[in-house]
Amino acid sequence: MDRRDTNWCLITGTTSSGKTTLCESLSGRGAMVTPEVTRLLFSSLMERGVTRERLEANDHEVRNLVLDHVLLLHERLAAASSATIFFDRGLIDQFAFFGISGIADSSRIVREATTVRYQHVFVLEPLQFVPDGIRTEDPERRRRLHDLILKYSEALGYDPILVPALAPDDRVEFVLRAMGQLRPTGSHQRVADAVDAMRRSVESLDPRSILRLGCPTSS
């Protein structure tokens, strides 16, 4: 398949690795950053009554919904492939989540994961677990997810850059040094519009469609 080479940077890692904190810090430095699709999807559905347990019980369907919206975000930003944009999770993460969930039919994620080439892949070392109502603490699962992210990054031809467990500001400096320097290019408005389109799509999902997947709400 045709591959789109980009200047995009992937910020990834297992749960409670400090991805979102790092992305927020980079945004504060003027970088263009996209939010984590999985978190937005889970938050939106849980706010409308779909329980975390029911989402986990229908992991295959949910993972494909997440992949749909990661691809939507990428397509909306296709014209900005030369821009330096940081993604809080991306296609490699979906590959790892498919793997850790034991989803046998992974042909779609294998196909899609080769359509975009990130410029840099930063894998954050795990930090102490912090509960937030969405993520769940499972030390073994966290370790496996970290290992799978590294495995699939390398399998897809990347040389992932491990970001050590440093203070937030030190992690920002580590990433910027690894890149040489931060050179914001492209349109912040284009990124904001793409994120808004993805958010609207997530918010338009009907929780009753989750019911049809055998995923009852808390009510």
Side-chain angles (χ1 to χ4, degrees), residues 6-186:
T6 72
N7 283 331
W8 300 345
C9 298
L10 180 63
I11 304 295
T12 181
T14 191
T15 51
S16 270
S17 60
K19 297 180 297 72
T20 301
T21 298
L22 175 57
C23 286
E24 289 173 349
S25 297
L26 287 165
S27 178
R29 298 284 190 99
M32 291 180 285
V33 177
T34 69
E36 181 184 348
V37 175
T38 303
R39 177 174 293 276
L40 284 176
L41 179 69
F42 274 50
S43 295
S44 177
L45 292 174
M46 290 171 72
E47 285 172 1
R48 287 176 282 165
V50 181
T51 67
R52 175 61 190 253
E53 293 73 20
R54 295 304 186 179
L55 289 172
E56 291 177 346
N58 289 273
D59 201 37
H60 185 283
E61 292 82 1
V62 171
R63 285 295 149 207
N64 276 288
L65 281 175
V66 173
L67 178 56
D68 288 342
H69 288 85
V70 171
L71 293 172
L72 172 62
L73 187 58
H74 282 185
E75 287 305 312
R76 289 279 182 165
L77 290 170
S81 60
S82 62
T84 302
I85 303 173
F86 291 89
F87 288 78
D88 186 345
R89 292 208 188 281
L91 287 172
I92 294 173
D93 299 87
Q94 305 320 309
F95 211 149
F97 277 117
F98 269 55
I100 203 170
S101 298
I103 296 175
D105 181 14
S106 59
S107 57
R108 183 188 181 208
I109 186 59
V110 171
R111 181 177 68 251
E112 299 293 359
T114 60
T115 61
V116 168
R117 177 77 183 179
Y118 299 104
Q119 182 69 23
H120 299 286
V121 174
F122 293 99
V123 181
L124 278 59
E125 293 282 6
L127 302 176
Q128 182 177 355
F129 179 80
V130 177
D132 63 355
I134 294 179
R135 61 171 73 109
T136 56
E137 182 174 18
D138 183 337
E140 176 61 18
R141 189 176 191 275
R142 292 179 68 205
R143 184 195 62 77
R144 286 187 58 217
L145 183 58
H146 177 80
D147 291 346
L148 284 175
I149 288 170
L150 289 174
K151 173 184 174 180
Y152 290 130
S153 296
E154 293 168 355
L156 291 167
Y158 292 101
D159 185 12
I161 301 170
L162 280 170
V163 181
L166 303 170
D169 287 345
D170 292 334
R171 277 185 155 181
V172 172
E173 295 302 327
F174 181 96
V175 168
L176 297 184
R177 284 196 302 270
M179 296 177 62
Q181 61 178 329
L182 177 62
R183 297 182 298 275
T185 59

